[in-house]
Amino acid sequence: MRTRQLQSLLRNTKRNLVEFKELGGYSEIYKYSIENNTEFWEKLARSRLDWKEDFTQVSNSCFKNGSISWFADGKLNVFDNCVTRHLPDRADQPALIYEKDEPGTEEFVSYAQLHSLVNRFANVLKSKGVKKGDRVAIYYPVSPLGVAAMLACAKIGAVHSVVFAGFSADALRQRIIDADCRVVICADGTYRGGRYINLKSVVDQAIENLDLVETVLVGTRNPEAQKLTTGKDVDLDQALESASDNCESEPMNAEDPLFLLYTSGSTGKPKGLVHSQAGYLLYAAVTTSAVFDCQPGDRFGCVADIGWITGHTYTVYGPLVNGAVSLLFESVPSYPDPGRYWATVEKYNLTQFYGAPTAYRSLLRHSNEFIEKYDRSSLKRIGSVGEPINTEAWEWLHHTVGSSKVRIADTWWQTETGGNMITPVPCDEGAAFKPGSAQRPFYGIEPVLKSADGKTVEGNSVDGALCIAKPWPGIARTIHGDHERFRNVYLNVFDDVYTTGDGAHRDVDGEYTITGRMDDVINVSGHRLGTAEVEDCLAQLEFISEAAVVGIPEETKGEVPYAFIILKEGVIDSSEHKLLASQHVAKVIAKFAVPQDTIIVDGLPKTRSGKIMRRILRKLAASSVQTFAEIAPELGDISTLAEPEVVEEIFLKKCQS
Ligand code: PRX
């Protein structure tokens, strides 16, 4: 498909998919996408992507066997699809708007400039010995160089592993080792809310005595910063300046890995999920255009960091593959005041705005003045992602921010799914919106609910474990280095479906509301965190003999971790230990993982078989009552615990702390 044809195709895509518009609206296209699943994706793969070699196989996927593969014998290059093919039409138009922390200091990067930058970047990577299939760690905040680093990897077939630039040195080190990265790309630092954050020192700590890492490419954010500190450091800006902007793109097999992205699970070790080249890109392309009505030239404002999947799919790949302009937002929603988001919408006439409920909740407490003084009439869509959005925040987004005109896309999805899975849009004109509910599956996505015994829950007004029946192109293919874990966690929980780990309610209309995680994973300000990760980290401290961590609700952040620790014998109970515990979690994982409170206890509520009853701890942690008698009825039957008296002791310790 040539660029011009594709452009005109995309221009005509209003909400629904132009390729199937003869079928009707959402309901008809959805029905077709399920009943003719491979034809559906085949058609889109041909119309939305440019192939270097056409494919003959569409899907060869079987959840039961643990194999997922789409368009397997086709070849393409992701960078060429995201940038090169737009050059004939939009070389001089912006591809990226870099909204830096300090208002008024923005930079624009045109498609031609991005093309040249990525080519030079790719040559720098090659000169450092990076080859197709090598993993490269990127510890970069959202910025043109961070995006170019990802695209340069895609261009030469290296696999990027972006580590959120808020993770600690230990977390970065663990991820560099797991993915076997010889090259790390980072910035000297970043600015957030007027404050400079030094990132290079984190990288230095992360790679201390780590022979595996040979080169650290360091880009400049603050020209005053001392950015070259070790013998492995290379000045990225200088290297880019002297590199040639001529570079051949590597033809990649559809199923080659494009990137790894680490996320938390219910055990301590983070999982490096592997996403594919073609399937992932197609899913990013189609969801961005259909859910957000994204047209070429639209100004797409996804404020997620590139360290998370939302940043990968809706800040980088989705907008660019659709020929849109992507906003890179370095700052925080409250800087210099709570109107920053809407000032940004006005300044660039953003057509889409996509953010997280935690940020929306923090903003809605402020005066509407911060919203109303800016023109938001350019917005077609406002998206929400990462956790359930409460009704108050939904209403505020729709009525106050969106002047009761903008459609709200509450998008449910996961790092593993690659892109939006359940969301109220696209839908037929006039279809009802339900605040707080993700509602309808995206095309080709078939949700099923399972009961604890693995039976499919039929009918409406029912609850169950949310699973997906059919493979789709955007699903992650494996966990780096541990396919068995991938199969066990996602594909073998129930027969022949992908298990999401979330619970859901199917309402009277057959639409879905996510009820939350069914495992020990929590969501802190939209950051996914395994409570087991925090427990493992606390248990490393020599004064702690056992730790239990649970998530409890919190108004702005959604959930926060809350810890109970038992000190080793002979260690004297003191508040010093709580402080050390918090500092350790910040050092090993990240600041967002630090428990809201840590209670030192003598025992934990366990079953006779030794399993910690986190349900009880959750109730104790979240309660604000003053006497045990008040909370006792909520705890259920505790008589079957190995030591039931421990529950009241914990309650008293918490009251005293
Ligand atoms: O529990 C769900 C919640 O976030 C989890 C996925 O987290 P992560 O992989 O970090 O990806 C976040 C960005 C896609 C899900 O299992 N979640 C995500 N979006 C929603 C949500 N819960 C309710 N409603 C949502 N819209």
Side-chain angles (χ1 to χ4, degrees), residues 263 308-310 384-389 410-416 438 500-502 514 516-517 523 526-528:
T263 191
W308 307 113
I309 190 69
T310 310
S384 169
V385 58
E387 52 178 313
I389 181 159
D410 173 6
T411 56
W412 173 84
W413 59 296
Q414 310 177 292
T415 304
E416 295 83 345
T500 69
D502 282 327
I514 310 303
R517 299 286 311 184
N523 234 304
H527 299 165
R528 180 164 153 180

Side-chain angles (χ1 to χ4, degrees), residues 273-284:
L273 286 151
V274 180
H275 278 283
S276 69
Q277 303 267 338
Y280 167 80
L281 188 66
L282 178 66
Y283 201 66

Side-chain angles (χ1 to χ4, degrees), residues 101-103 193 331-340 343 370 374:
D101 189 50
E102 210 47 50
S331 195
V332 293
S334 54
Y335 184 75
D337 62 45
R340 182 64 183 273
F370 289 110
Y374 300 107

